[in-house]
Amino acid sequence: MSAQKKSVLVLGARSDIARAIAAEFARKGYNIMLAGRDTGWLDRDASDMSLRFQIETTVHKFDALDLDGHEAFFDALPTVPSIVVCAVGLLGDQEADVQDPAAVRRIIDTNFTGPAHALEVAARRLAATEDDTAIVGIGSVAGDRGRAKNYLYGAAKAGFGEYLSGMRQKYVQSRLHVMTVKPGFVATAMTEGMDLPGPLTSTPEKFAKNVVRALDKRRMVYYDLRWRVLMGVITHLPERIFVRTKF
Amino acid sequence: MTSQATLSGWGRWPRRTCRTAPLLAEAPFPGGPTLGAASAITRGNGRSYGDPALNPDMTLTGTRANRMLSFDPGTGDLVTEAGVLMSEILDIFAPRGWFPQVVPGTKFGSVGGMIGSDVHGKNHHCAGSFGDHVNWIDLLCADGELRRCSSEENAELYNATCGGMGLTGHILAASVRLRRIASAWIAQETIPVPDLDTAMGVFEANHDTTYSVAWIDCLARGDSRGRSLIYLGDHADPEALDREKRADPFKLPARRKLAMPLDAPSWALNALTLRAFNQAYYKAGCRKAGHGVVDYDSYFFPLDSIANWNRLYGAPGFAQYQCALPLATARDALLDLLEAISEARLGSFLAVLKRMGPGAPERPLSFPIEGYTLALDFPLSSRALTLLDCLDEITVAAGGRLYLAKDSRMTQRTFEAGYGPALDQFRALRAETGATDVFQSVQSRRLAI
Ligand SMILES: NC(=O)c1ccc[n+]([C@@H]2O[C@H](COP(=O)([O-])OP(=O)(O)OC[C@H]3O[C@@H](n4cnc5c(N)ncnc54)[C@H](OP(=O)(O)O)[C@@H]3O)[C@@H](O)[C@H]2O)c1
């Protein structure tokens, strides 16, 4: 199994977390396919990774919301990747979004419908290669328990997490491995301007290293220990008590 | 989206609460070059010492705009976004046989920051400063336009930007030239010298040596003033390396990374410990005199291996004093400066003396001038600040100047005396291009740049 020839496809590659994960795989010698809506931007990342890691990179236009286009998107890739990472997501603005039907749909579809469908299409192709392959889906701790602050986003991420869990079970006998990643706080463009608690906040680079390491170990879920502990407490609070907290 | 942060330079003084946002990699910026704020400054990796990379209105942090965009192995031209660090260039290109033409004393500066400060290195006497090896700069100007600036295109803006401390616009990308090296090792010669005249003699006799720098004992008194260890260096020829190194001349030994876990207490550094340290260091240097081979990391960046070494000076922070003195007056001025420093029993173990080659008069705020430069740290105290004012007088009387990238406290008068008519030219260009009100830093306000 020569790592050189293998490649990783990253969906939603413009995200800081995605870029860092792609760079981590590139460092290990994988060729990288970057997919997202703004290919002009991704060209810059592609040049950067080829220069730094001396690997091949390609850039592909991908819109998670264009479900009908997903088959054609995968058909057009230069090769079937051995790893597909999906970082597509949209946090939105809870208060404003819930009052706007189009926004509700956009949040649910960007965090759930689109990624779920794209990965379903990917899974069929990866499983068919009869090689060791993997799917990495990025959910969120926000999906562990609905909170006033972001339950629209959280609910969609919860749905995505369950979807991945089902997919993992479906393919457990195959050589396709499905890993769910649940970030807590990662300082990225998405969280820019938010006041994040230092000890619970990671950088995209550190986070990416952990994700790749977890995949190497064939973990089913990558979930930072501190967050698992914190969310463990939060999810076990009786509803009656939870609703009065400020989490 | 913006946040608030308390920022300082590497000297940890002064500190200011600033609105911050990441520097964007592409123009135009929403809300213009200040992102809607009254004024803005770019900050690379925060390695200038004082207040040039602070603006309470808006400080754009540049380290995420760090993509390498292209490299031409035919010419050695490397195009990067402004936030790429020198350390990244070295890590990636040194093993492939390429090296920056000029490296400053830390490898943690960003490309944008190194251009803005027009940094110099141990080869200034023969290679000039960083700006001498920049092909072009993409500059986001006050009018919101992105301009490619080079010695042919927008030349005036290009010259003002090299050394211009970010006050002409936001540097978004640049093309810099790398040079070929045959190994990652430096052939080094250590020469102990007992006094300043001998030190200057060695520098003057070594114009053809690629790299030269002296660690100087700033607390030595009387006839010992200027007592130094001079380090000469050149990229080592693989033939000259031992067998193990020759097998892979670009492979460096893994280095241990040390860190200052907390601020040193104020009693740790005093005249006694400093004098003792400096004496011990000089003696150790004398024992190691002669030829040797060191990896480029140890040769160029001895301090970088101690993360947060700036905490050595304790919580109040420190000021670094770096002046450039014209050749004609350098000797006497250096003796006066050293006298004042050792009299005051202040100073540090990190004092550096270096011969500089011709400056770049076409770049109005570029620091180097032909002669000598002296750099040393002072833990912050009111006594230190008083001493620094005295040092300013000596520097100015000798026709010298201070380095904006190190400065946190000089007066407008000292600054104007040091940079002369070139400063008027720089101010005029700022006014003409609308930069005066748009690009500002705490330093530019202090000095009315
Ligand atoms: N940062 C955190 O603290 C945190 C915490 C928990 C979970 N997460 C999750 O981690 C992932 C990465 O987050 P991030 O922080 O790096 O934020 P981000 O920059 O907002 O990442 C979102 C990514 O999704 C892409 N995207 C959105 N809509 C798309 C669509 N219709 N089609 C294709 N791509 C689309 C975006 O591309 P464009 O650039 O084209 O918009 C962007 O690349 C997200 O799934 C996020 O929910 C992050």
Side-chain angles (χ1 to χ4, degrees), chain A residues 48-127:
Chain A
D48 182 58
M49 285 178 217
S50 338
L51 258 175
R52 281 179 198 252
F53 306 111
Q54 298 181 294
I55 47 124
E56 280 168 37
T57 49
T58 49
V59 168
H60 308 276
K61 193 156 182 67
F62 171 75
D63 185 346
L65 299 181
D66 176 21
L67 272 67
D68 294 328
H70 288 172
E71 291 281 356
F73 165 80
F74 280 97
D75 283 340
L77 294 178
T79 55
V80 180
S82 34
I83 299 174
V84 177
V85 178
C86 179
V88 174
L90 180 61
L91 182 55
D93 173 351
Q94 170 78 26
E95 279 309 302
D97 290 347
V98 287
Q99 299 176 35
D100 171 4
V104 171
R105 201 163 282 138
R106 192 168 57 244
I107 298 286
I108 302 279
D109 288 351
T110 307
N111 289 299
F112 176 64
T113 325
H117 184 258
L119 292 183
E120 190 67 46
V121 174
R124 279 200 298 276
R125 286 160 204 255
L126 266 54

Coordinates of all heavy atoms in Angstrom, one line a residue, chain A residues 48-127:
Chain A
D48 N -0.2 26.1 -2.4 CA 0.5 26.1 -1.2 C 0.9 24.6 -0.8 O 2.0 24.3 -0.4 CB -0.4 26.7 -0.1 CG 0.3 26.7 1.3 OD1 1.4 27.3 1.4 OD2 -0.2 26.2 2.2
M49 N -0.1 23.7 -0.9 CA 0.1 22.4 -0.4 C 1.1 21.7 -1.4 O 1.9 20.9 -0.9 CB -1.2 21.6 -0.3 CG -1.9 22.0 0.9 SD -3.5 21.2 1.1 CE -4.5 22.5 1.7
S50 N 1.0 21.9 -2.7 CA 1.9 21.2 -3.6 C 3.3 21.7 -3.3 O 4.3 20.9 -3.4 CB 1.6 21.5 -5.1 OG 0.4 21.9 -5.3
L51 N 3.5 23.0 -3.1 CA 4.8 23.5 -2.8 C 5.4 23.0 -1.5 O 6.6 22.6 -1.5 CB 4.8 25.0 -2.7 CG 5.2 25.8 -3.9 CD1 5.0 27.3 -3.7 CD2 6.7 25.6 -4.2
R52 N 4.6 23.0 -0.5 CA 5.2 22.6 0.8 C 5.4 21.1 0.9 O 6.4 20.7 1.5 CB 4.1 22.9 1.9 CG 4.1 24.4 2.3 CD 3.1 24.6 3.4 NE 2.7 26.0 3.5 CZ 3.1 26.8 4.5 NH1 3.8 26.3 5.5 NH2 2.8 28.0 4.5
F53 N 4.5 20.3 0.3 CA 4.6 18.9 0.6 C 5.0 18.1 -0.6 O 5.1 16.9 -0.6 CB 3.3 18.4 1.2 CG 2.9 19.2 2.4 CD1 1.8 20.0 2.4 CD2 3.6 19.1 3.6 CE1 1.4 20.8 3.5 CE2 3.2 19.9 4.7 CZ 2.1 20.7 4.6
Q54 N 5.2 18.8 -1.7 CA 5.6 18.1 -3.0 C 4.7 17.0 -3.3 O 5.1 15.9 -3.6 CB 7.1 17.7 -2.9 CG 8.0 18.9 -2.7 CD 9.5 18.5 -2.6 OE1 9.9 17.8 -1.7 NE2 10.2 18.9 -3.6
I55 N 3.4 17.3 -3.4 CA 2.4 16.3 -3.7 C 1.6 16.9 -4.8 O 1.7 18.1 -5.2 CB 1.5 16.0 -2.5 CG1 1.0 17.3 -1.9 CG2 2.2 15.1 -1.5 CD1 -0.4 17.5 -1.8
E56 N 0.6 16.1 -5.4 CA -0.2 16.7 -6.5 C -1.5 17.1 -5.9 O -2.1 16.4 -5.0 CB -0.5 15.6 -7.5 CG 0.7 15.5 -8.5 CD 0.6 14.3 -9.4 OE1 -0.6 13.9 -9.8 OE2 1.6 13.7 -9.6
T57 N -2.0 18.3 -6.3 CA -3.3 18.7 -5.8 C -4.2 19.1 -7.0 O -3.7 19.5 -8.1 CB -3.1 20.0 -5.0 OG1 -2.3 20.9 -5.8 CG2 -2.4 19.8 -3.7
T58 N -5.5 18.9 -6.9 CA -6.4 19.3 -7.9 C -7.5 20.1 -7.2 O -7.8 19.9 -6.0 CB -7.0 18.2 -8.7 OG1 -7.4 17.2 -7.8 CG2 -6.0 17.6 -9.6
V59 N -8.2 20.9 -7.9 CA -9.3 21.7 -7.3 C -10.6 21.4 -8.1 O -10.6 21.3 -9.3 CB -9.0 23.2 -7.4 CG1 -10.1 24.1 -7.1 CG2 -7.8 23.5 -6.5
H60 N -11.7 21.2 -7.4 CA -13.0 20.8 -8.0 C -14.1 21.7 -7.4 O -14.2 21.9 -6.2 CB -13.2 19.3 -7.7 CG -12.1 18.5 -8.1 ND1 -11.8 18.1 -9.4 CD2 -11.0 18.1 -7.4 CE1 -10.7 17.4 -9.4 NE2 -10.2 17.4 -8.2
K61 N -15.0 22.0 -8.3 CA -16.2 22.8 -7.9 C -17.2 21.9 -7.3 O -17.6 20.8 -7.9 CB -16.8 23.5 -9.1 CG -17.8 24.6 -8.7 CD -17.9 25.7 -9.7 CE -18.9 26.8 -9.2 NZ -18.4 27.5 -8.1
F62 N -17.7 22.2 -6.1 CA -18.6 21.4 -5.4 C -19.6 22.2 -4.6 O -19.2 23.1 -3.8 CB -17.9 20.4 -4.4 CG -18.8 19.7 -3.5 CD1 -19.5 18.6 -4.0 CD2 -18.9 20.0 -2.2 CE1 -20.3 17.9 -3.1 CE2 -19.7 19.3 -1.3 CZ -20.4 18.2 -1.8
D63 N -20.9 22.0 -4.8 CA -21.9 22.7 -3.9 C -22.7 21.6 -3.2 O -23.4 20.8 -3.9 CB -22.8 23.6 -4.8 CG -23.7 24.4 -4.0 OD1 -23.9 24.0 -2.8 OD2 -24.4 25.3 -4.5
A64 N -22.6 21.6 -1.9 CA -23.3 20.5 -1.1 C -24.8 20.6 -1.4 O -25.5 19.6 -1.2 CB -22.9 20.7 0.3
L65 N -25.3 21.8 -1.7 CA -26.7 22.0 -1.8 C -27.3 21.5 -3.1 O -28.5 21.3 -3.3 CB -27.1 23.4 -1.6 CG -26.7 24.0 -0.2 CD1 -27.2 25.4 0.0 CD2 -27.4 23.1 0.9
D66 N -26.4 21.2 -4.1 CA -26.8 20.8 -5.4 C -26.8 19.2 -5.4 O -25.9 18.6 -5.9 CB -25.8 21.3 -6.4 CG -26.1 20.8 -7.8 OD1 -27.3 20.3 -8.1 OD2 -25.2 20.8 -8.7
L67 N -27.8 18.7 -4.7 CA -27.8 17.2 -4.6 C -27.8 16.5 -5.9 O -27.2 15.4 -6.0 CB -29.1 16.8 -3.7 CG -28.9 16.8 -2.2 CD1 -28.6 18.2 -1.7 CD2 -30.0 16.1 -1.5
D68 N -28.5 17.0 -6.8 CA -28.6 16.3 -8.2 C -27.2 16.3 -8.8 O -27.0 15.5 -9.7 CB -29.6 17.1 -9.1 CG -31.0 16.9 -8.5 OD1 -31.3 15.9 -7.9 OD2 -31.8 17.9 -8.7
G69 N -26.4 17.2 -8.4 CA -25.0 17.2 -9.1 C -24.0 16.3 -8.4 O -22.9 16.2 -8.9
H70 N -24.3 15.7 -7.3 CA -23.3 15.0 -6.6 C -22.7 13.8 -7.4 O -21.5 13.6 -7.4 CB -23.9 14.5 -5.2 CG -24.1 15.6 -4.2 ND1 -24.7 15.4 -3.0 CD2 -23.7 16.9 -4.3 CE1 -24.7 16.6 -2.4 NE2 -24.1 17.5 -3.1
E71 N -23.6 13.0 -8.1 CA -23.1 11.9 -8.8 C -22.1 12.4 -9.9 O -21.0 11.8 -10.0 CB -24.2 11.1 -9.5 CG -25.2 10.4 -8.6 CD -24.6 9.0 -8.2 OE1 -23.5 8.6 -8.6 OE2 -25.3 8.4 -7.3
A72 N -22.5 13.4 -10.6 CA -21.6 13.9 -11.7 C -20.3 14.5 -11.1 O -19.3 14.3 -11.7 CB -22.4 15.0 -12.4
F73 N -20.4 15.1 -9.9 CA -19.2 15.6 -9.3 C -18.2 14.4 -9.0 O -17.0 14.5 -9.4 CB -19.6 16.3 -7.9 CG -18.4 16.5 -7.0 CD1 -17.5 17.6 -7.3 CD2 -18.1 15.6 -6.0 CE1 -16.4 17.8 -6.5 CE2 -17.0 15.8 -5.2 CZ -16.2 16.9 -5.4
F74 N -18.7 13.3 -8.5 CA -17.8 12.2 -8.2 C -17.3 11.6 -9.5 O -16.1 11.1 -9.5 CB -18.4 11.2 -7.2 CG -18.4 11.6 -5.8 CD1 -19.5 12.3 -5.2 CD2 -17.2 11.4 -5.0 CE1 -19.4 12.7 -3.9 CE2 -17.2 11.8 -3.7 CZ -18.3 12.5 -3.1
D75 N -18.2 11.5 -10.5 CA -17.8 11.0 -11.8 C -16.6 11.7 -12.4 O -15.7 11.1 -13.0 CB -18.9 11.0 -12.8 CG -19.9 9.9 -12.5 OD1 -19.6 8.9 -11.8 OD2 -21.1 10.0 -12.9
A76 N -16.6 13.0 -12.1 CA -15.6 13.9 -12.8 C -14.2 13.9 -12.1 O -13.3 14.5 -12.6 CB -16.1 15.3 -12.9
L77 N -14.1 13.3 -10.9 CA -12.9 13.3 -10.2 C -11.8 12.5 -10.9 O -12.2 11.5 -11.6 CB -13.0 12.8 -8.8 CG -13.9 13.6 -7.8 CD1 -14.0 12.8 -6.5 CD2 -13.4 15.0 -7.6
P78 N -10.6 12.9 -10.9 CA -9.5 12.2 -11.6 C -9.4 10.7 -11.2 O -9.1 9.9 -12.0 CB -8.2 13.0 -11.3 CG -8.6 13.9 -10.2 CD -10.0 14.1 -10.2
T79 N -9.5 10.5 -9.9 CA -9.5 9.1 -9.4 C -10.5 9.0 -8.3 O -11.0 10.0 -7.7 CB -8.1 8.7 -8.8 OG1 -7.8 9.7 -7.7 CG2 -7.0 8.7 -9.8
V80 N -10.7 7.7 -7.9 CA -11.6 7.5 -6.7 C -10.6 7.8 -5.5 O -9.6 7.1 -5.3 CB -12.2 6.1 -6.6 CG1 -13.0 6.0 -5.4 CG2 -13.0 5.9 -7.9
P81 N -11.0 8.7 -4.6 CA -10.1 9.0 -3.5 C -10.1 7.8 -2.5 O -11.1 7.1 -2.5 CB -10.7 10.2 -2.8 CG -12.1 10.3 -3.3 CD -12.1 9.6 -4.6
S82 N -9.1 7.7 -1.7 CA -9.2 6.6 -0.6 C -9.8 7.2 0.7 O -10.2 6.4 1.5 CB -7.9 5.9 -0.4 OG -6.8 6.8 -0.5
I83 N -9.7 8.5 0.8 CA -10.3 9.1 2.0 C -11.2 10.3 1.5 O -10.7 11.1 0.7 CB -9.3 9.6 3.0 CG1 -8.4 8.4 3.4 CG2 -9.9 10.3 4.2 CD1 -7.2 8.7 4.3
V84 N -12.4 10.4 2.1 CA -13.2 11.6 1.8 C -13.5 12.3 3.1 O -14.0 11.7 4.1 CB -14.5 11.3 1.1 CG1 -15.4 12.5 0.9 CG2 -14.3 10.6 -0.2
V85 N -13.1 13.6 3.2 CA -13.4 14.4 4.4 C -14.5 15.4 4.1 O -14.3 16.1 3.1 CB -12.1 15.1 4.9 CG1 -12.4 15.9 6.1 CG2 -11.0 14.1 5.1
C86 N -15.5 15.4 4.9 CA -16.5 16.5 4.7 C -16.6 17.5 5.8 O -16.9 17.1 6.9 CB -17.9 15.8 4.5 SG -19.2 17.1 4.2
A87 N -16.2 18.7 5.5 CA -16.2 19.8 6.5 C -17.3 20.8 6.3 O -17.3 21.8 6.9 CB -14.8 20.5 6.5
V88 N -18.2 20.5 5.3 CA -19.2 21.4 5.0 C -20.1 21.7 6.2 O -20.4 20.8 6.9 CB -20.1 20.9 3.8 CG1 -21.3 21.8 3.6 CG2 -19.3 20.7 2.6
G89 N -20.4 23.0 6.4 CA -21.2 23.3 7.6 C -21.6 24.8 7.5 O -20.9 25.6 6.8
L90 N -22.6 25.2 8.2 CA -23.0 26.6 8.3 C -23.6 26.8 9.7 O -24.6 26.2 10.0 CB -24.0 26.9 7.2 CG -24.5 28.3 7.1 CD1 -23.4 29.3 6.8 CD2 -25.6 28.4 6.0
L91 N -23.0 27.7 10.4 CA -23.5 28.0 11.8 C -24.7 28.9 11.8 O -25.6 28.7 12.5 CB -22.3 28.7 12.5 CG -22.5 29.0 14.0 CD1 -23.0 27.8 14.8 CD2 -21.3 29.6 14.6
G92 N -24.7 29.9 10.9 CA -25.8 30.9 10.8 C -26.0 31.7 12.1 O -25.1 31.8 12.9
D93 N -27.2 32.3 12.2 CA -27.5 33.1 13.3 C -28.9 32.7 13.8 O -29.9 33.0 13.2 CB -27.5 34.6 12.8 CG -28.1 35.6 13.8 OD1 -28.6 35.1 14.9 OD2 -28.0 36.8 13.6
Q94 N -28.9 31.9 14.8 CA -30.1 31.2 15.3 C -31.3 32.1 15.3 O -32.3 31.8 14.7 CB -29.8 30.7 16.7 CG -31.0 30.2 17.5 CD -31.5 28.8 17.0 OE1 -30.7 28.0 16.5 NE2 -32.8 28.5 17.2
E95 N -31.2 33.3 16.0 CA -32.4 34.1 16.2 C -33.0 34.6 14.9 O -34.2 34.5 14.7 CB -32.0 35.3 17.0 CG -32.0 35.1 18.5 CD -33.3 34.4 19.0 OE1 -34.4 35.0 18.9 OE2 -33.2 33.3 19.6
A96 N -32.1 35.0 14.0 CA -32.6 35.5 12.7 C -33.1 34.3 11.8 O -34.2 34.4 11.2 CB -31.5 36.3 12.0
D97 N -32.3 33.3 11.8 CA -32.6 32.2 10.9 C -34.0 31.5 11.1 O -34.6 31.2 10.2 CB -31.5 31.1 11.0 CG -30.2 31.6 10.4 OD1 -30.2 32.7 9.7 OD2 -29.1 31.0 10.6
V98 N -34.3 31.3 12.4 CA -35.6 30.6 12.6 C -36.8 31.3 12.2 O -37.9 30.8 12.1 CB -35.7 30.2 14.1 CG1 -34.8 29.1 14.5 CG2 -35.5 31.4 15.0
Q99 N -36.6 32.6 11.9 CA -37.8 33.4 11.4 C -37.8 33.5 9.9 O -38.7 34.2 9.4 CB -37.7 34.8 12.0 CG -37.7 34.7 13.6 CD -37.6 36.1 14.2 OE1 -38.0 37.1 13.6 NE2 -36.9 36.2 15.3
D100 N -36.9 32.8 9.3 CA -36.8 33.0 7.8 C -36.8 31.6 7.2 O -35.8 30.8 7.3 CB -35.5 33.7 7.5 CG -35.2 33.7 6.0 OD1 -36.0 33.2 5.2 OD2 -34.2 34.3 5.6
P101 N -37.9 31.2 6.5 CA -38.0 29.8 6.0 C -36.8 29.4 5.1 O -36.3 28.3 5.2 CB -39.3 29.8 5.2 CG -40.1 31.0 5.7 CD -39.1 32.0 6.2
A102 N -36.3 30.3 4.3 CA -35.2 30.0 3.4 C -34.0 29.7 4.2 O -33.2 28.8 3.9 CB -35.0 31.1 2.4
A103 N -33.8 30.5 5.3 CA -32.6 30.3 6.1 C -32.7 28.9 6.9 O -31.7 28.2 7.0 CB -32.5 31.4 7.1
V104 N -33.9 28.6 7.4 CA -34.1 27.3 8.1 C -33.6 26.2 7.1 O -32.8 25.3 7.5 CB -35.5 27.1 8.5 CG1 -35.8 25.7 9.0 CG2 -35.9 28.1 9.6
R105 N -34.1 26.3 5.9 CA -33.8 25.2 4.9 C -32.3 25.2 4.7 O -31.7 24.1 4.6 CB -34.6 25.5 3.7 CG -34.7 24.3 2.8 CD -35.9 24.5 1.8 NE -37.2 24.3 2.3 CZ -38.2 25.1 2.0 NH1 -38.1 26.1 1.2 NH2 -39.4 24.8 2.5
R106 N -31.7 26.4 4.5 CA -30.3 26.5 4.2 C -29.4 25.8 5.3 O -28.5 25.1 5.1 CB -29.9 27.9 4.0 CG -28.5 28.1 3.3 CD -28.2 29.5 2.8 NE -28.4 30.5 3.8 CZ -29.3 31.4 3.8 NH1 -30.2 31.5 2.8 NH2 -29.4 32.3 4.8
I107 N -29.8 26.1 6.6 CA -29.0 25.6 7.7 C -29.1 24.1 7.7 O -28.1 23.3 7.8 CB -29.4 26.2 9.0 CG1 -29.2 27.7 9.0 CG2 -28.7 25.5 10.2 CD1 -27.8 28.2 9.2
I108 N -30.4 23.6 7.7 CA -30.6 22.1 7.7 C -29.9 21.4 6.5 O -29.2 20.4 6.7 CB -32.1 21.8 7.7 CG1 -32.8 22.5 8.9 CG2 -32.3 20.3 7.7 CD1 -32.7 21.8 10.2
D109 N -30.1 22.0 5.4 CA -29.5 21.4 4.2 C -28.0 21.4 4.1 O -27.3 20.5 3.7 CB -30.1 22.0 2.9 CG -31.5 21.6 2.7 OD1 -32.0 20.7 3.5 OD2 -32.2 22.2 1.8
T110 N -27.4 22.5 4.6 CA -25.9 22.6 4.5 C -25.3 21.7 5.6 O -24.2 21.2 5.3 CB -25.5 24.1 4.8 OG1 -26.2 24.9 3.9 CG2 -24.0 24.2 4.5
N111 N -25.9 21.6 6.7 CA -25.3 20.8 7.8 C -25.7 19.3 7.7 O -25.0 18.4 8.2 CB -25.7 21.3 9.1 CG -24.9 22.7 9.4 OD1 -23.7 22.7 9.4 ND2 -25.7 23.7 9.6
F112 N -26.9 19.0 7.1 CA -27.4 17.7 7.1 C -27.6 17.1 5.7 O -26.9 16.2 5.2 CB -28.6 17.5 8.0 CG -29.2 16.2 7.9 CD1 -28.5 15.1 8.4 CD2 -30.5 15.9 7.3 CE1 -29.1 13.8 8.4 CE2 -31.0 14.7 7.3 CZ -30.3 13.6 7.8
T113 N -28.7 17.6 5.0 CA -29.1 17.0 3.8 C -27.9 16.9 2.8 O -27.7 15.8 2.2 CB -30.2 17.8 3.1 OG1 -31.1 18.3 4.2 CG2 -31.1 16.9 2.2
G114 N -27.3 18.0 2.5 CA -26.2 18.0 1.5 C -25.0 17.1 1.9 O -24.7 16.2 1.1
P115 N -24.4 17.3 3.0 CA -23.3 16.4 3.4 C -23.7 14.9 3.4 O -23.0 14.0 3.0 CB -22.9 16.9 4.8 CG -23.3 18.3 4.8 CD -24.5 18.4 4.0
A116 N -24.9 14.6 4.0 CA -25.4 13.2 4.1 C -25.5 12.6 2.7 O -25.0 11.5 2.4 CB -26.8 13.1 4.8
H117 N -26.1 13.3 1.8 CA -26.2 12.8 0.4 C -24.9 12.6 -0.3 O -24.6 11.6 -0.9 CB -27.2 13.6 -0.4 CG -27.5 13.1 -1.8 ND1 -26.8 13.5 -2.9 CD2 -28.2 12.0 -2.1 CE1 -27.2 12.8 -3.9 NE2 -28.1 11.9 -3.5
A118 N -24.1 13.6 -0.2 CA -22.7 13.6 -0.8 C -21.9 12.4 -0.3 O -21.3 11.7 -1.1 CB -22.0 14.9 -0.6
L119 N -22.0 12.2 1.0 CA -21.2 11.1 1.6 C -21.8 9.7 1.2 O -21.1 8.7 1.1 CB -21.1 11.2 3.1 CG -20.2 12.4 3.5 CD1 -20.0 12.5 5.0 CD2 -18.8 12.4 2.8
E120 N -23.1 9.7 1.1 CA -23.8 8.4 0.6 C -23.2 8.1 -0.8 O -22.9 6.9 -1.0 CB -25.3 8.7 0.6 CG -26.1 7.4 0.4 CD -26.1 6.5 1.6 OE1 -26.2 6.9 2.7 OE2 -25.9 5.3 1.3
V121 N -23.2 9.1 -1.7 CA -22.7 8.8 -3.0 C -21.2 8.4 -2.9 O -20.8 7.4 -3.6 CB -22.8 10.1 -3.9 CG1 -22.1 9.9 -5.2 CG2 -24.3 10.5 -4.0
A122 N -20.5 9.1 -2.1 CA -19.0 8.7 -1.9 C -18.9 7.3 -1.4 O -18.0 6.5 -1.9 CB -18.4 9.7 -0.9
A123 N -19.7 6.9 -0.4 CA -19.5 5.6 0.3 C -19.7 4.5 -0.7 O -18.9 3.5 -0.7 CB -20.6 5.5 1.4
R124 N -20.7 4.6 -1.6 CA -20.9 3.5 -2.6 C -19.6 3.4 -3.4 O -19.2 2.2 -3.7 CB -22.1 3.9 -3.5 CG -23.4 3.6 -2.9 CD -24.5 3.5 -3.9 NE -24.7 4.7 -4.7 CZ -25.5 5.7 -4.2 NH1 -26.1 5.6 -3.1 NH2 -25.6 6.8 -5.0
R125 N -19.0 4.5 -3.8 CA -17.8 4.4 -4.7 C -16.6 3.9 -3.9 O -15.8 3.1 -4.4 CB -17.5 5.7 -5.3 CG -18.5 6.1 -6.4 CD -18.5 7.6 -6.6 NE -19.8 7.9 -7.2 CZ -20.0 8.1 -8.5 NH1 -19.0 8.2 -9.3 NH2 -21.2 8.4 -9.0
L126 N -16.5 4.4 -2.7 CA -15.3 3.9 -1.9 C -15.4 2.4 -1.6 O -14.4 1.7 -1.7 CB -15.2 4.8 -0.6 CG -14.3 6.0 -0.7 CD1 -14.7 6.9 -1.9 CD2 -14.2 6.8 0.6
A127 N -16.6 2.0 -1.2 CA -16.7 0.6 -0.8 C -16.4 -0.3 -2.0 O -15.9 -1.4 -1.9 CB -18.1 0.4 -0.2

